[in-house]
Amino acid sequence: MEIAKVGVVGAGQMGNGIAHVLALAGYEVLLNDISQEALDGALAQIVRNLDRQVSRGKVASDDRDAALARISTTLSLAELGSTDLVIESATERETVKQAIFEDLVPHLQPHTILTSNTSSISITRLASRTDRPEKFMGFHFMNPVPVMQLVELIRGIATDEQTYQACFGVVERLGKTAASSEDFPAFIVNRILMPMINEAVYTLYEGVGNVASIDSAMKLGTNHPMGPLELADFIGLDTCLAIMNVLHDGLADTKYRPCPLLTKYVEAGWLGRKTQRGFYDYRGEVPVPTR
Ligand code: NAD
């Protein structure tokens, strides 16, 4: 089936990146959020990121202008009724995502494919609350979307082959690489990554190291480009905690229990880069460790 117009729900750090790469690949994009501020912020971020790509010679200025012209924004979910594919990328909370799908479904055309960029929530369970579980799947981008090569594609129990192939075709047109994952908590990447980040927070909590020593140990000792705490701030500590809770609940194994210190940071509203403070404080010239 031909996919020409894509709706993106949630204009946060992932939603703006998804809109960016889709528009650059030639799709018409309709970006939705409940907050006008988030929509304005997303568009400004897309302009900044495209400008950087132009200045580095990765994107021609005509292509940047054409991509920007393909992106529209809306506060109304009903307007996404005209799309062929929807990628939901709102806050990582199951009740939020379910409410979005319930509100969205009555407006959709029968052929429209519904997907979620969730990092961890069951695709099968989200799909079961819609009228089209066979046309529903996981479409999981990595952060930052314009830079990262991988997209995890997750089939729910009912996802049909045509839907999978259509999404696979979108990933190819974006010039990215798909990895196929079965629908189990946190899929492949976060099933492996998040317990490592959570363990880094335990290492901090138990005083084995401080923020600087933990990040520098993992960067220099294991050749990771970012330390685990720096990466957690980059992902968002609320998202990290939500994923650990999904692993803990979904796999019923105490080895996935979220570190109390991670919970404390989230309760403080110190969510990482997006709120200017997490394991590092980003309000000054250089990030300063908070412990
Ligand atoms: P974010 O907090 O930056 O953005 C979430 C956005 O969703 C906000 O702009 C918020 O206003 C909006 N939103 C909330 N409720 C909404 C609703 N009912 N309708 C429309 N918009 C709504 O979060 P993010 O990091 O962009 O994460 C979004 C999704 O992407 C989550 O499911 C997350 O698990 C997934 N994800 C995140 C990362 C990452 O590294 N942060 C990586 C891959 C996938």
Side-chain angles (χ1 to χ4, degrees), residues 12-14 33 89-90 92 97 117 119 140-141 143 235 274:
Q13 49 181 357
M14 293 304 289
D33 204 287
S89 187
E92 184 75 348
K97 294 186 186 295
N117 181 43
S119 302
H140 184 217
F141 288 88
N143 186 14
I235 293 169
K274 64 184 169 186

Side-chain angles (χ1 to χ4, degrees), residues 69-126:
R70 286 187 203 104
I71 303 175
S72 336
T73 60
T74 177
L75 288 168
S76 149
L77 268 182
E79 279 191 41
L80 271 64
S82 60
T83 61
D84 307 304
L85 165 70
V86 174
I87 303 176
E88 173 279 315
S89 187
T91 310
E92 184 75 348
R93 208 171 311 133
E94 190 157 348
T95 48
V96 170
K97 294 186 186 295
Q98 272 172 358
I100 289 170
F101 291 125
E102 270 162 29
D103 289 350
L104 183 61
V105 156
H107 306 288
L108 296 179
Q109 304 170 79
H111 74 271
T112 303
I113 293 175
L114 267 182
T115 67
S116 175
N117 181 43
T118 176
S119 302
S120 60
I121 299 168
S122 165
I123 297 302
T124 301
R125 206 162 56 230
L126 288 175

